[in-house]
Amino acid sequence: RDIHISEAIDQAVLAAIALEPEQRPQTMEAFLETFRRGYDATLREQHAKPRRRTKTPPWKIFAVSGAFAILLGTIVALLILLLNKDDKVTPPGGARQDLGLHADKGAPARPTALSLSAAKAVAREKIDAAVKAGDPRVARGAAVVAAEPLRPALLAALGQPALKVKAAYALGALKKLDPDSRAALGKVLAGPAGFAAIAATSTLARHGDAGALAKLRLQRRLAKKQLQADTALFELVQVDKSAKLAKEALTRARRVLSSTLKARGLGPLARRGHKGARKLLLAMLDGSSDSARLHAAEALAGTLSLARSKRALKRAEASPNGRLRAWAKGLLARRGDAKSVEKLLEYLSSMDAQARRRSALELGRLARLGKLSEEQRGRAQKLLIAALGDESAETALAAAVALMAW
């Protein structure tokens, strides 16, 4: 029997085993949704084929069904392992270093008498140690907070093969590129082809480097894998405003399953007034995956009213995943919702480690953008200083990154 698997299944599998966490489904719900769509597409394509009169032996049916079940189980197990791996990176010295900050087990540390300057010195030590240990959370958090004092750590991260992609994108989130940053990104660009080179080239191109723009076009044409070609395309559309490229990006966006990649490519088009891109993002905003909704809301930032944003993110705000809840509150806080700021401050004192980590980063971003009142800024500062001694090394690192915005 002719066994056919649709391209949608291939996309789901490739996204699940992607090396970069941001390119993988952010929740099991998101993965199962994309795999289900691929499975449905496979059935539709098989039924559309002319039926043969020969009867399929029962053993073949059982063999194919068993192989398909094993494939699905393997992918789910691999995805769980990859997600768990991302949550278990710790800095040198174990899960927690004694910095003179004390906390009850499982809860954030209580505020201490550390001054801001002393706390920032501790924070820099944590950040430097994490970069040396190859912890990707520094660059990931820096992309959210985007504070200038994080630049030295990001330049150091560019020298680590496993951190190059995230560090390049995080440097691009900063307001400008200094000569040292341009030189470091140029070295990555000149290195082996791959996602790191695409990220470095895109960052340089978005900051006005005409040579990098030409290089990005070349990277897209020479990409050996579809995922690399799509990544280069969606990075290119951020700086190349041609109608032809926009049409190509829109066509690929309809086939790409990664909400992260799709939102990154469609966001610039939607903000430039492209109706097709905005329509696709609004469909994601009303979709079934909380992660996809949040990515779409980020891509549409500044073009949605606060009321529309609240309706779209209502379910994400009630998610059992603390990271998604805090992310949703951060989005609403940037739109001017004072209650969401208060909720982030509450999360920073909660028992949910995921919520503490993301709320720390969101408060750092709000501080950099000037979205906190003086009273809120003071409270956030005290809570972040206390969180430097959190039982969770990941939360302590997030607090360290966030404090760089003060």
Side-chain angles (χ1 to χ4, degrees), residues 155 158 178-188 204:
L155 290 175
L158 273 181
D178 63 4
D180 290 341
S181 300
R182 291 181 181 275
L185 289 166
K187 290 180 180 179
V188 177
L204 288 168

Side-chain angles (χ1 to χ4, degrees), residues 103-109 349-353 356 390-392:
D104 295 330
K105 187 173 182 180
S349 304
S350 73
M351 297 292 290
D352 188 329
R356 294 203 302 274
D390 198 284
E391 287 289 334
S392 164

Side-chain angles (χ1 to χ4, degrees), residues 132-192:
K132 289 179 182 178
D135 191 335
R137 288 182 175 82
V138 172
R140 198 180 302 165
V144 175
V145 178
E148 178 61 32
L150 290 165
R151 187 186 299 274
L154 293 175
L155 290 175
L158 273 181
Q160 297 238 29
L163 305 182
K164 285 182 179 180
V165 174
K166 295 180 180 65
Y169 283 129
L171 279 170
L174 300 182
K175 190 173 182 179
K176 61 180 181 179
L177 290 180
D178 63 4
D180 290 341
S181 300
R182 291 181 181 275
L185 289 166
K187 290 180 180 179
V188 177
L189 187 158

